[in-house]
Amino acid sequence: MRILLGVTGGIAAYKAVLLLRLLREQGHAVRVIPTRAALEFVGAPTFEALSGEPVSTEVFDDVPGVQHVALGQGADLVIVAPATADFLARAAAGLADDLLTTTLLAARCPVVLAPAMHTEMWDHPATRANVATLRERGVHVIEPASGRLTGTDTGPGRLPDPEDIAREALSLVGAAQPEAEPGDLAGRRVVVSAGGTREAIDPVRFIGNRSSGRQGVALAQAAAARGADVTLVAANLAQDVTDQVVSGPRACAVVRVESTAELREAVRAAGADADVVVMAAAVADFRPAVTPDAKIKKVPGQGPAPIELVENPDILAELAHERLRPGQVVVGFAAETGDASGSVLEHGRAKARRKGADLIAVNAVGSGRGFGTDSNEVTLLDGAGDVVGQASGSKREVADALWDAVVKLLS
Ligand code: CTP
């Protein structure tokens, strides 16, 4: 694999040297693009010697080769480690004032950023907003580790260990690490639905929801990394989000859908010979009873026309009660806010019993939790509503905890 390793100017730049060596030892071709500030911490000869490739920081080096375009286009994966707060801001703004940022704009492959900075800088609303923007665009931003920072302070902001960065980045493009164990889902067929369905009101309007699809995509990636043959049924996911799972040797098949009816058909078709179906999509419970072919016009003075809704089929409950294949494991999610009639867990329990799935992952949503965030916290319930596990952390960590529970059920 051809990897571009961007290095920006922080103390943790020394760890980029270890990451470079690790990636080279695993047989990848690595081209290092440091920023000017990075070279204050580690000299270009170190990167050149370990990568065996020239190192430059400026667009004005090798002008006839139009380096930034050639490097960006030729890469299979871009990793920036460490990514400073300044770099995140420049990347979020789309600036192109050095070779690294220009290359980033030219690259069409998966991009992984591993931030490192002091906790206050990581927590600052400006940095949070930049990270959110980058993630929205499909950039994979690794959560910094917690621990000892440069001074005497400790907290989140530490660059994760090079082994962890390599593992996370390579699993994203489906590249197995050479020493990886054969996955515990090897030979298994898995279907994951992700995203949120849209129900057309007319040709231009729809009823939708806030699901980003990230948890579902993390589930698909984690299953693929564990050896499963994965079909991702993607309800209205952005192209750059699905791009993350379609390349590399552990690529997932992606079926794009819009409405609940389309999602149901795709899940049932792919699920017919699947060992596991995970319904992580946020499915609209209702759809407009009729969808006119022409745009509904506003008639001045008449107020809004009522929209009559009819109920959608409950895909998860159908799958759980029918079992498209004997022994198929069926997993659902329960996104709950809790209300006067019950807590998040109480609603989750009732849902688990109602749906009949083997596992239900209950998570609290609303007030900035769950939808669109980078991390998640779920309680795993069995079909009787009893707690069988708990998971929190990045959506990938939650995904792996869920697959651990599924693997137990499969065996
Ligand atoms: N689900 C489904 N088909 C539907 C509605 C939901 O398959 N028509 C699935 C979701 O994919 C999820 C689980 O059921 O795995 C729970 O979804 P949720 O929206 O939390 O539950 P609802 O049954 O819609 O209940 P409510 O909206 O009343 O909370």
Side-chain angles (χ1 to χ4, degrees), residues 183-191 223-224 226-231 273-276 325-329 403 406-411:
D184 52 8
L185 287 171
R188 299 290 192 179
R189 282 176 196 278
V190 160
V191 179
R226 294 166 80 141
D229 178 354
V230 183
T231 300
D273 61 353
D275 299 289
V276 188
R325 197 186 153 179
Q328 186 173 71
V329 173
W403 288 120
V406 169
V407 165
K408 271 193 205 143
L409 288 176
L410 284 170
S411 59

Side-chain angles (χ1 to χ4, degrees), residues 279 281 283-285 313-316 332-335 351 354-355:
M279 284 294 299
V283 182
D285 293 323
D314 189 322
I315 304 169
L316 177 66
F333 274 76
K351 197 169 282 180
R354 201 168 64 233
K355 302 261 181 180

Side-chain angles (χ1 to χ4, degrees), residues 70-353:
L71 289 173
Q73 286 175 343
D76 301 307
L77 173 67
V78 177
I79 305 175
V80 182
T84 58
D86 175 67
F87 173 77
L88 295 176
R90 292 195 294 134
L95 294 191
D97 53 359
D98 60 9
L99 185 58
L100 180 57
T101 44
T102 1
T103 304
L104 213 58
L105 290 182
R108 289 295 172 268
C109 59
V111 174
V112 178
L113 310 182
M117 62 199 74
H118 283 276
T119 306
E120 292 77 4
M121 296 170 79
W122 174 247
D123 283 341
H124 194 282
T127 305
R128 305 307 307 170
N130 291 331
V131 169
T133 301
L134 290 161
R135 282 180 171 151
E136 232 158 66
R137 287 187 203 139
V139 172
H140 185 85
V141 183
I142 296 179
E143 280 299 308
S146 268
R148 174 95 192 270
L149 301 172
T150 308
T152 51
D153 47 345
T154 57
R158 199 177 141 91
L159 189 71
D161 289 338
E163 290 77 13
D164 293 334
I165 297 173
R167 192 177 315 113
E168 195 162 333
L170 291 170
S171 73
L172 203 69
V173 286
Q177 308 231 42
E179 70 274 24
E181 300 271 308
D184 52 8
L185 287 171
R188 299 290 192 179
R189 282 176 196 278
V190 160
V191 179
V192 179
S193 72
T197 60
R198 291 179 181 175
E199 306 297 339
I201 296 172
D202 68 14
V204 293
R205 306 178 177 99
F206 60 82
I207 299 172
N209 61 68
R210 293 184 193 278
S211 174
S212 68
R214 272 202 219 119
Q215 183 62 71
V217 168
L219 280 158
Q221 286 174 326
R226 294 166 80 141
D229 178 354
V230 183
T231 300
L232 176 71
V233 178
N236 305 298
L237 293 188
Q239 184 73 41
D240 51 6
V241 175
T242 50
D243 280 351
Q244 294 175 25
V245 298
V246 293
S247 58
R250 296 252 169 109
C252 306
V254 175
V255 183
R256 307 183 72 85
V257 297
E258 202 175 309
S259 65
T260 300
E262 288 170 10
L263 181 91
R264 177 173 177 271
E265 205 180 304
V267 166
R268 293 179 66 90
D273 61 353
D275 299 289
V276 188
V277 182
V278 181
M279 284 294 299
V283 182
D285 293 323
F286 302 99
R287 67 179 186 279
V290 285
T291 309
D293 293 335
K295 186 181 169 193
I296 299 171
K297 300 299 288 177
K298 171 179 66 192
V299 183
Q302 274 200 8
I307 299 171
E308 192 198 334
L309 299 177
V310 291
E311 198 165 343
N312 272 330
D314 189 322
I315 304 169
L316 177 66
E318 278 180 2
L319 292 169
H321 291 114
E322 274 177 48
R323 303 284 160 162
L324 297 176
R325 197 186 153 179
Q328 186 173 71
V329 173
V330 176
V331 182
F333 274 76
E336 303 291 345
T337 59
D339 58 20
S341 68
S343 66
V344 167
L345 199 58
E346 282 160 355
H347 280 299
R349 270 207 184 100
K351 197 169 282 180
R353 292 186 194 123

